[in-house]
Amino acid sequence: MQRIQALRLLIVSAILIVAGCSSEKVPSVADYMHDMDETRKILDMHRSNPAKYQSDARVQNAAAAWSAYLAAKAFSRPLSKCWASKPPTTAGTDHACLDNNKFKR
């Protein structure tokens, strides 16, 4: 009886550990808009091995953020004024501007 309870405890513990390790928070598109350095890093990682990162949610969100930046620049939208530097950097980001344009973290 104790052997079965110990086995159950071990199985439940293993499931909780695996579930806890796999619940990594994926940054949102807004997070990547605020952190353009991280956006470029994630996209460079994808370029180095596209097959490995093809379905990675981080890559998809970073690509969406980069696309929003490019579209804002191409069409001279108010969002394009949120980055003082070219290429955009986290340090040159006007975070209040992004918050006002519905990209709150």
Side-chain angles (χ1 to χ4, degrees):
M1 187 72 170
Q2 281 186 337
R3 184 180 273 174
I4 293 173
Q5 289 177 349
L7 181 60
R8 284 183 184 169
L9 181 61
L10 181 63
I11 290 171
V12 169
S13 298
I15 290 171
L16 291 175
I17 290 171
V18 169
C21 292
S22 65
S23 62
E24 177 184 341
K25 182 184 178 297
V26 175
S28 67
V29 173
D31 290 332
Y32 282 119
M33 295 288 282
H34 282 271
D35 190 356
M36 292 305 268
D37 295 334
E38 181 68 15
T39 301
R40 280 202 308 270
K41 182 179 128 190
I42 294 292
L43 294 176
D44 288 342
M45 181 180 69
H46 176 257
R47 273 187 223 107
S48 69
N49 191 348
K52 180 178 178 183
Y53 298 106
Q54 180 175 351
S55 61
D56 190 335
R58 295 175 305 161
V59 171
Q60 293 167 358
N61 288 346
W66 191 255
S67 294
Y69 162 74
L70 293 177
K73 287 294 186 185
F75 297 111
S76 298
R77 294 193 174 136
L79 184 61
S80 66
K81 295 178 177 76
C82 295
W83 295 277
S85 59
K86 295 177 186 174
T89 63
T90 302
T93 301
D94 181 353
H95 298 286
C97 175
L98 285 174
D99 290 342
N100 292 335
N101 282 286
K102 301 178 183 170
F103 286 102
K104 291 186 178 187
R105 292 192 253 187

